[in-house]
Amino acid sequence: MGVEIERKFLVNRAVWNKTSKHNGTHYRQGYILSDPDKTVRVRLAGDEAHLTIKGPSVGASRPEFEYKIPASDASELLNQFCTSEISKIRFKVYHEGKLWEVDEFLGENAGLMVAELELADEHETFSLPDWIEREITDDVRYYNARLSVNPYKNWKEGV
C-alpha cells in the first residue's frame, strides 16, 4: 500500500506573482466517490491521466493508490461518472531541493492558491518559500475533494 505524506499551505499571491516559474499545467479533476474516509478521483493533467484512491487522513498521512490511465478514459470518466469536479493550474517549483506544487484554482474556486509539499516522513524538516502565507494541512475545507462540493466562492469571510 502506498502512503501519501503531504503538507498544505496558503500562498501569498502578491509574492507568488513576483516569483520566477515555468508555465503551469491545466488540471481537470473529478470525484467518483468523496467522503471523509475515502475518495476515488480521476485527474486529467495535460495529456496524462490518473485514477487515484485515497483513504482517511491521519495527521499529514493517508493511504494512496494511484494508477495511470489513458487520457480518453479519464475524459469519459470525468464527463459521465464524476459527481463533482475542480479545475486548476498547477505550477511545480523547487525550493531548497524540495518540489513544491502550487495550485491556482479556477472556476468556483478562483482566487484560492494552495501549495503542497510531499514528504518522505511526517517529521521531515524543510524551509518555507517566501510566498507561503500559513499552513492549512489540518483544515479540511482546503482538501480538493471538499473544494469540489463546497467551493471557495461560497465561503463566508473569516470562516
Side-chain angles (χ1 to χ4, degrees), residues 13 87 104-113 151-154:
R13 183 180 295 273
S87 61
E104 181 176 0
F105 287 86
L106 306 171
E108 300 204 331
N109 289 297
L112 178 62
M113 289 192 75
Y152 185 66
K153 76 169 193 157
N154 293 344

Side-chain angles (χ1 to χ4, degrees), residues 13-21:
R13 183 180 295 273
V15 179
W16 171 255
N17 287 341
K18 297 175 188 172
T19 302
S20 175
K21 56 195 159 287

Side-chain angles (χ1 to χ4, degrees), residues 1-4 28 30 32 39-45 47-55 63-75 77:
M1 169 175 61
V3 175
E4 173 188 59
R28 184 176 171 209
I32 296 171
T39 60
V40 179
R41 174 187 81 199
V42 177
R43 176 184 278 169
L44 185 58
D47 59 356
E48 290 190 16
H50 291 88
L51 179 67
T52 306
I53 302 164
K54 295 185 181 194
E64 177 184 63
F65 299 88
E66 186 165 78
Y67 306 97
K68 189 169 184 162
I69 62 173
S72 59
D73 287 0
S75 291
L77 288 167

Side-chain angles (χ1 to χ4, degrees), residues 110-129:
L112 178 62
M113 289 192 75
V114 174
E116 300 175 347
L117 177 64
E118 288 203 21
L119 303 169
D121 178 275
E122 277 208 44
H123 305 290
E124 186 176 338
T125 60
F126 55 91
S127 65
L128 297 175

Side-chain angles (χ1 to χ4, degrees), residues 16 21-29 43-49 87-92 101-106:
W16 171 255
K21 56 195 159 287
H22 296 287
N23 290 335
T25 301
H26 182 264
Y27 279 52
R28 184 176 171 209
Q29 186 168 299
R43 176 184 278 169
L44 185 58
D47 59 356
E48 290 190 16
S87 61
K88 58 190 177 181
I89 304 294
R90 174 164 284 178
F91 300 89
K92 296 184 178 189
E101 296 176 327
V102 178
D103 293 336
E104 181 176 0
F105 287 86
L106 306 171

